Amino acid sequence: MVKKYVALLLQLIIWSGFTLAEWLSGKDHLVSKVILFIVFSYLAILLARKIVDSSKDTFIITVLSLFTYGLLQSMLHFLL
């Protein structure tokens, strides 16, 4: 259970890095931002796979971290 939690937290750190990279590439085209998202998603999946050693748990953790990231981004956008 602790491994899953650590993988989730590290993935949230990766999504924070994605937010920073997206912010720094402000005027780039949508295609480059999609490629950036795919690269960060791949890194997040690799990280979780290495920690958890289960494809099913990796998928669940990645979806949960993406949902949490999206929820936090929406809340911050709404509040600010």
Side-chain angles (χ1 to χ4, degrees), residues 4 10 13-14 17 23 25 27 31 34 37 50 57 62 80:
K4 294 177 186 177
L10 289 175
I13 292 171
I14 288 174
W23 177 68
S25 67
K27 293 184 180 180
V31 175
V34 168
F37 178 77
K50 188 74 173 175
D57 289 340
T62 303
L80 298 177

Side-chain angles (χ1 to χ4, degrees), residues 17-27 33 36:
F18 169 73
T19 303
L20 178 64
E22 186 181 28
W23 177 68
L24 290 173
S25 67
K27 293 184 180 180
K33 290 185 181 185
L36 187 67

Side-chain angles (χ1 to χ4, degrees), residues 28-62:
D28 285 348
H29 295 287
L30 180 62
V31 175
S32 61
K33 290 185 181 185
V34 168
I35 292 170
L36 187 67
F37 178 77
I38 290 170
V39 168
F40 274 85
S41 297
Y42 182 68
L43 288 173
I45 290 169
L46 282 179
L47 179 93
R49 178 72 180 182
K50 188 74 173 175
I51 294 172
V52 177
D53 292 329
S54 169
S55 296
K56 179 183 168 188
D57 289 340
T58 299
F59 177 75
I60 292 170
I61 290 168
T62 303

Side-chain angles (χ1 to χ4, degrees), residues 72-80:
L72 288 171
Q73 287 297 318
S74 298
M75 285 174 41
L76 286 173
H77 183 37
F78 178 73
L79 292 175
L80 298 177

